[in-house]
Amino acid sequence: MIKFNHVTKSFDGVRSVLNDVNFFVERGEFVFLIGHTGAGKTTLFKHIYMEEFPTQGQVIVAGYNSNTIRKKEIPYLRRKIGIVFQDFKLLKDRNVFENVALTLQVADNRKKNIKKRVFHLLSEMGLSHQRNEFPQTLSGGEQQRVSIARALAADPYILLADEPTGNLDLAVAFDILELLKQVNAGGTTILMATHNPELIKNAHSRILEIKQGTIIR
Amino acid sequence: MDLIYVFQESLRGFKYSRWMSLASVIIIAINLLIIGGFLYVSINTNQIIRKIKEKVEIEVFVKDDSSQLKVAALQDTLLNISGVRDVQYFTKAMAWEEFKQIHGEEMLEAVEENPFPASFRLKLESASQNELEVQRIVTIIEHQDGIEEIKYGKQLLPLLDRFSRIYYTAFGVVSILISLIAVFIVSNTIKLTVFARQEIIRLMKLSGARDLYIRLPFILEGMIQGLLGATCAVMVLWVVIEKLKGSIAGFFIFPPQIMVVLFIFGFILGGCGSWVSLQKFLKL
């Protein structure tokens, strides 16, 4: 599903942010990506949704190869990937329903289908009764649920979670992790970046560790 | 593509960055006002040049001893010269009358016989109202029989020609310059409104939106701003021209085409401005 093949990324030609990165994530896997701030986790994610391209090597995601993908194919790759951010990135001028619907709108879905899918997701996330509320009135955990619902709206193959619990307290963080595990059980491949050791302790999932741009585990 | 969505997003844009949108509208209005004012002056100046040029005529004096037959033949020949629109025959008696009307009867008291020759007055097609063409037509006429003298605005024509050449070049250069400056300023102002919404642009890109899908609401928003700007510009221009009416001799025409041009220009300006300013934000 995701394959990094000798990927090196350098922005200035001198210092490498990613250094000969090799790994493979199978379909349906749940993988943790751990490492300190600045280790290269976000840059690695950007290579997956092809906002960045390798200086050397290649990235293959859902059948798309970073060396051969055409610019107009990138939107279609991204529709197969859901992204969850640490700071949720919810739009403050839209309510919960509209925030979740955004992903489906941009993929040219029909209005009727959008409504059906969003209602279904909100009920799964336990957010049905908050669908008309605006993000700033929700708690951190609720906001992250909305952002997960948005990431899942287009039914992606892969869910990238970039420090999804970074802004939440531990109890809520475990709730979110549990939610992501349920999503994974439904068949979605998940790559989750975190630097919280508590979360990975009993997770029984594969761990990739990145340090100064190099995968060390 | 859901057009209702595009329209809703554009309106949302207005709501979201109210002050920047207002700034955009004002800047578009000022630009269009300059362009409109310039167009207004140009159209009127052009009208004046045309009117002067229309007065350019060639006067062909006929020898006194020419027979009627010869005169008729000459009239036919003159009418058939390309570039000549109209030929009027002025008999000796008519020339006498005209002189009397202009200078008064006293001037002619001492004169016994009518000294004025009969003449043809040639009006020219607008394409031939320039020095080169007039010279060509005069040369053809000179080769005809029975002609006493040919008169035309020898001094005026080159002067008018030079003036219109300089004027049209200046008009072209200044128009292009103003338009470029306008697109630059408008795109920079719109860039600020886009900047305020880079978060949603990024989210849409990461959600797999095609560029056109992201662009359309912004472009529509720019076009609406352009139309609002044009409305302001037309209103101000109209009021100013109404006030000026009569104070500058000859400047009175406010052609409705100016309004149409300003609306179209505002529409394009707003649209292009958005397109240009979005370029940077879509690279991701």
Side-chain angles (χ1 to χ4, degrees):
Chain A
M1 189 54 68
I2 303 170
K3 187 178 181 188
F4 273 59
N5 208 353
H6 298 289
V7 173
T8 296
K9 176 69 179 180
S10 160
F11 290 105
D12 53 8
V14 186
R15 207 173 52 91
S16 294
V17 186
L18 295 181
N19 203 357
D20 195 28
V21 171
N22 287 290
F23 71 87
F24 188 84
V25 177
E26 300 265 11
R27 174 178 283 234
E29 246 191 310
F30 192 121
V31 178
F32 282 110
L33 178 66
I34 60 168
H36 293 294
T37 310
K41 298 192 293 286
T42 301
T43 307
L44 190 145
F45 273 15
K46 283 184 175 174
H47 278 77
I48 297 175
Y49 49 81
M50 298 200 190
E51 185 179 340
E52 295 292 348
F53 288 87
T55 313
Q56 273 171 45
Q58 59 181 357
V59 179
I60 300 165
V61 182
Y64 291 98
N65 186 320
S66 63
N67 288 351
T68 55
I69 193 167
R70 283 176 296 172
K71 196 172 176 272
K72 63 176 185 191
E73 289 175 326
I74 293 178
Y76 298 97
L77 160 74
R78 289 181 183 165
R79 290 177 195 183
K80 296 185 166 75
I81 303 170
I83 308 172
V84 178
F85 304 93
Q86 177 174 359
D87 57 354
F88 325 129
K89 295 208 190 304
L90 298 174
L91 298 169
K92 293 182 192 73
D93 62 334
R94 279 151 226 248
N95 64 27
V96 167
F97 181 94
E98 290 166 327
N99 264 288
V100 177
L102 184 81
T103 325
L104 294 164
Q105 276 171 339
V106 304
D108 294 336
N109 284 285
R110 284 169 173 271
K111 241 184 177 150
K112 207 176 95 189
N113 297 342
I114 295 178
K115 212 170 171 181
K116 210 168 133 191
R117 175 79 179 144
V118 175
F119 276 134
H120 172 74
L121 274 166
L122 290 181
S123 105
E124 268 194 354
M125 299 286 155
L127 290 163
S128 293
H129 56 291
Q130 279 150 318
R131 65 174 180 272
N132 292 323
E133 288 184 27
F134 285 82
Q136 51 274 35
T137 64
L138 304 177
S139 71
E142 285 166 335
Q143 287 189 48
Q144 194 57 295
R145 281 168 183 272
V146 176
S147 115
I148 291 171
R150 180 182 63 196
L152 291 175
D155 205 8
Y157 297 172
I158 302 163
L159 187 74
L160 298 179
D162 194 0
E163 305 270 4
T165 58
N167 285 3
L168 307 171
D169 61 47
L170 201 59
V172 181
F174 273 112
D175 282 349
I176 293 294
L177 181 62
E178 199 46 49
L179 186 64
L180 290 176
K181 280 189 169 165
Q182 283 169 25
V183 172
N184 177 242
T188 310
T189 309
I190 296 185
L191 185 57
M192 173 173 160
T194 182
H195 57 246
N196 188 340
E198 290 294 321
L199 283 180
I200 52 176
K201 215 190 281 172
N202 304 310
H204 309 298
S205 294
R206 186 151 72 94
I207 295 168
L208 288 171
E209 188 174 354
I210 188 166
K211 193 176 179 187
Q212 289 175 337
T214 308
I215 298 281
I216 54 169
R217 169 157 61 143
Chain B
M1 178 102 27
D2 185 353
L3 287 178
I4 296 171
Y5 159 83
V6 173
F7 197 69
Q8 276 174 343
E9 281 300 306
S10 316
L11 291 183
R12 206 192 278 269
F14 266 104
K15 225 172 93 187
Y16 201 74
S17 39
R18 233 169 285 165
W19 293 109
M20 282 324 298
S21 299
L22 186 69
S24 269
V25 170
I26 291 171
I27 283 172
I28 291 175
I30 291 171
N31 273 298
L32 291 180
L33 201 59
I34 295 171
I35 291 169
F38 191 65
L39 265 178
Y40 171 73
V41 173
S42 298
I43 288 172
N44 279 282
T45 313
N46 191 27
Q47 198 84 354
I48 291 168
I49 293 179
R50 228 183 55 210
K51 274 191 182 145
I52 297 173
K53 280 191 162 181
E54 257 171 26
K55 285 188 184 139
V56 169
E57 57 176 23
I58 302 174
E59 208 169 0
V60 181
F61 294 97
V62 183
K63 279 183 179 157
D64 270 357
D65 57 3
S66 300
S67 66
Q68 270 195 336
L69 212 68
K70 221 172 182 180
V71 169
L74 188 58
Q75 182 158 18
D76 274 350
T77 314
L78 294 177
L79 252 174
N80 282 327
I81 299 173
S82 71
V84 175
R85 192 185 50 179
D86 183 40
V87 176
Q88 265 187 324
Y89 183 58
F90 268 65
T91 59
K92 282 173 74 75
M94 284 159 91
W96 174 277
E97 269 309 306
E98 194 184 51
F99 188 89
K100 237 168 50 182
Q101 264 178 16
I102 299 171
H103 302 284
E105 213 159 339
E106 313 83 63
M107 295 276 290
L108 292 167
E109 268 171 5
V111 185
E112 282 177 14
E113 208 181 319
N114 181 355
F116 302 109
S119 65
F120 288 107
R121 292 182 187 175
L122 279 63
K123 297 252 184 247
L124 305 180
E125 311 245 356
S126 53
S128 294
Q129 289 164 353
N130 60 65
E131 195 190 359
L132 262 175
E133 272 291 288
V134 169
Q135 200 60 57
R136 177 184 66 82
I137 293 167
V138 165
T139 313
I140 298 173
I141 301 170
E142 274 171 353
H143 286 92
Q144 307 301 318
D145 266 350
I147 285 162
E148 177 87 41
E149 198 189 350
I150 304 168
K151 270 189 178 169
Y152 61 97
K154 252 183 198 150
Q155 274 88 36
L156 179 68
L157 266 176
L159 208 71
L160 265 181
D161 276 352
R162 220 174 52 213
F163 179 71
S164 2
R165 247 199 320 273
I166 294 171
Y167 167 75
Y168 284 121
T169 314
F171 176 70
V173 170
V174 175
S175 305
I176 292 170
L177 221 64
I178 291 180
S179 310
L180 284 178
I181 293 170
V183 170
F184 178 75
I185 296 178
V186 167
S187 78
N188 272 296
T189 316
I190 294 178
K191 202 177 270 177
L192 292 174
T193 72
V194 176
F195 188 78
R197 276 183 288 160
Q198 22 179 359
E199 196 184 17
I200 179 162
I201 294 178
R202 189 178 151 79
L203 257 176
M204 287 172 106
K205 283 233 68 161
L206 295 186
S207 302
R210 281 172 289 128
D211 282 357
L212 187 68
Y213 194 89
I214 301 173
R215 262 203 182 112
L216 273 181
F218 284 99
I219 288 167
L220 184 67
E221 195 183 323
M223 285 172 169
I224 295 172
Q225 287 173 357
L227 287 183
L228 288 176
T231 310
C232 298
V234 165
M235 270 159 47
V236 173
L237 205 61
W238 191 75
V239 169
V240 170
I241 288 168
E242 279 295 304
K243 291 255 179 228
L244 277 180
K245 219 183 217 175
S247 60
I248 309 171
F251 268 58
F252 50 82
I253 317 152
F254 183 57
Q257 294 97 297
I258 290 189
M259 285 191 241
V260 178
V261 167
L262 289 188
F263 275 113
I264 293 175
F265 208 77
F267 202 63
I268 295 172
L269 204 60
C272 285
S274 290
W275 184 279
V276 172
S277 48
L278 269 176
Q279 276 312 95
K280 193 184 140 203
F281 295 98
L282 286 177
K283 279 184 202 148
L284 110 51

